[in-house]
Amino acid sequence: MSSRPVSDFLRHHFRHFNAAALVDAAHGYRDHIDGGGKMLVALAGAMSTAELGLSLAEMIRRDMVHIISCTGANLEEDLFNLVAHDHYERIPNWRDLTPADEQALLDRGMNRVTDTCIPEEEAFRRLEAALVDEWTRMEKAGERAFPHQVLYSIIRSGRLEEFYQIDPKDSWLVAAAEKDLPIVTPGWEDSTTGNIFASHVLNGDLKSPHLVKHGIEFMTWLADWYTDNAGEAGSEGVGSGIGFFQIGSGIAGDFPICVVPMLEQDMDRRTPLWAYFCQISDSTTSYGSYSGAVPNEKITWGKLAADTPSFLVESDATIVAPLVFQMVLETSTRK
């Protein structure tokens, strides 16, 4: 059996259509990183429940990712998987489930995400105890923090290690905590941990809904980070600036990409545009569809330049993203 690298296989077989776009996007990612550029990865959908940490964690550890924007669900679900993996259930025939089947799963405390059921007791409640302890400590100390910083504190404290059910090297959040990677989580309130936080504010356990930073604070922080890391205006292109690798669509991608036109148009600051763009999406291009819009539409919004290396891979992100990451890891000159 051949043991040749995955990148060789992809270059030999992936020659046309979305397969070729995948290879081109990986080459563009590698060239941007090898040239000294930085990369934002946006995580939408259920990528953490799909165990993307198996490939993303190594990208983080190898300094191929410099900032992440993700939904609150992706932020928490990587940690859920870390502490409750053995209790997850895969439902291969999920398309055939009846409403009664779904109710039976709920009655057992199993919350379904496509083909995977997350166990409420082992995942949600196990993490809730650690979260409440950390939020209570923060409130007594007069501290505020972003959602990922709260989870970083819990991970670094070691209080969950007895519950680890996967190798922590396969957790992208553990890798991010090791690197102190910045994470933007727009709409964090729309997540299980956000709901848990709100419930403890409502019942009076926590006094302030502002204990966890959110919303506009994310955008103002991101504006400063982008300004500090993007270089000089007019320097867009391979080897400079910040790239944008978008997995899925929705708020995880919509929110951070808008920082550039905000700085340029609303604040009259000369600002470099995003220097690389790739989106993996299975959304069909249609009237008014942002998720299915081709990258060129972003030129009209002042997000990308006409010559920005841009790629669209219309396929399943659980297939495409690990292949792109592996190709970048194998072919990059950065060690």
Side-chain angles (χ1 to χ4, degrees):
M1 181 177 292
S2 172
S3 60
R4 70 194 224 181
V6 171
S7 54
D8 286 353
F9 178 90
L10 294 178
R11 278 190 291 250
H12 182 73
H13 292 281
F14 283 33
R15 301 190 181 198
H16 299 281
F17 316 132
N18 278 293
L22 183 159
V23 172
D24 291 344
H27 285 164
Y29 194 132
R30 176 204 62 201
D31 292 345
H32 179 72
I33 293 295
D34 285 354
K38 295 186 176 181
M39 189 67 71
L40 179 148
V41 170
L43 294 178
M47 291 299 101
S48 289
T49 293
E51 299 186 75
L52 192 67
L54 289 163
S55 54
L56 180 58
E58 185 63 15
M59 289 287 286
I60 293 170
R61 292 191 173 98
R62 291 268 297 274
D63 296 319
M64 306 292 185
V65 177
H66 303 87
I67 182 172
I68 285 177
S69 173
C70 68
T71 58
N74 273 303
L75 185 71
E76 67 196 9
E77 286 174 12
D78 184 80
L79 201 49
F80 291 162
N81 182 59
L82 179 65
V83 302
H85 178 81
D86 294 349
H87 300 278
Y88 278 54
E89 290 185 21
R90 183 166 173 263
I91 312 292
N93 63 330
W94 57 272
R95 292 179 180 85
D96 301 327
L97 296 177
T98 66
D101 293 332
E102 304 279 20
Q103 182 65 48
L105 288 171
L106 173 63
D107 293 343
R108 291 174 48 221
M110 303 300 289
N111 300 119
R112 186 172 69 82
V113 179
T114 311
D115 72 343
T116 303
C117 289
I118 302 175
E120 180 172 335
E121 193 62 34
E122 290 81 7
F124 303 165
R125 302 310 160 204
R126 184 167 288 170
L127 182 57
E128 179 178 13
L131 283 168
V132 173
D133 285 349
E134 181 62 15
W135 290 329
T136 302
R137 183 201 65 76
M138 288 168 54
E139 191 161 65
K140 289 179 179 177
E143 299 175 5
R144 299 181 67 235
F146 286 117
H148 72 283
Q149 293 172 324
V150 175
L151 295 184
Y152 283 179
S153 293
I154 292 172
I155 290 170
R156 290 165 182 161
S157 73
R159 65 165 293 163
L160 291 178
E161 288 183 3
E162 64 177 297
F163 302 117
Y164 285 4
Q165 296 181 357
I166 65 169
D167 190 327
K169 75 177 180 59
D170 293 329
S171 163
W172 73 259
L173 193 61
V174 169
E178 292 170 357
K179 290 284 186 179
D180 201 25
L181 199 76
I183 300 178
V184 176
T185 315
W188 173 75
E189 300 83 355
D190 178 24
S191 67
T192 297
T193 50
N195 293 165
I196 290 171
F197 177 76
S199 73
H200 284 276
V201 172
L202 283 167
N203 67 23
D205 293 340
L206 300 170
K207 307 305 180 192
S208 174
H210 304 293
L211 187 65
V212 179
K213 298 180 182 180
H214 55 273
I216 298 303
E217 290 176 282
F218 270 126
M219 182 57 79
T220 55
W221 180 92
L222 180 61
D224 289 338
W225 185 91
Y226 192 93
T227 300
D228 291 342
N229 287 274
E232 298 297 323
S235 63
E236 297 89 354
V238 173
S240 64
I242 303 170
F244 199 102
F245 189 82
Q246 181 172 340
I247 301 174
S249 50
I251 195 171
D254 300 353
F255 184 90
I257 204 167
C258 290
V259 71
V260 170
M262 184 198 74
L263 288 168
E264 179 81 28
Q265 300 170 20
D266 300 327
M267 298 193 68
D268 294 322
R269 288 188 193 174
R270 287 280 292 146
T271 302
L273 305 184
W274 295 98
Y276 161 97
F277 178 81
C278 175
Q279 180 175 353
I280 305 168
S281 175
D282 60 1
S283 177
T284 303
T285 301
S286 61
Y287 298 107
S289 168
Y290 182 87
S291 300
V294 297
N296 281 355
E297 187 173 298
K298 293 174 174 58
I299 296 172
T300 72
W301 290 88
K303 300 168 183 175
L304 305 178
D307 59 352
T308 300
S310 300
F311 309 91
L312 176 62
V313 187
E314 296 178 304
S315 186
D316 185 333
T318 63
I319 299 171
V320 173
L323 292 175
V324 170
F325 291 160
Q326 185 63 27
M327 193 168 193
V328 172
L329 289 168
E330 288 181 357
T331 63
S332 173
T333 60
R334 294 183 59 182
K335 301 298 182 184

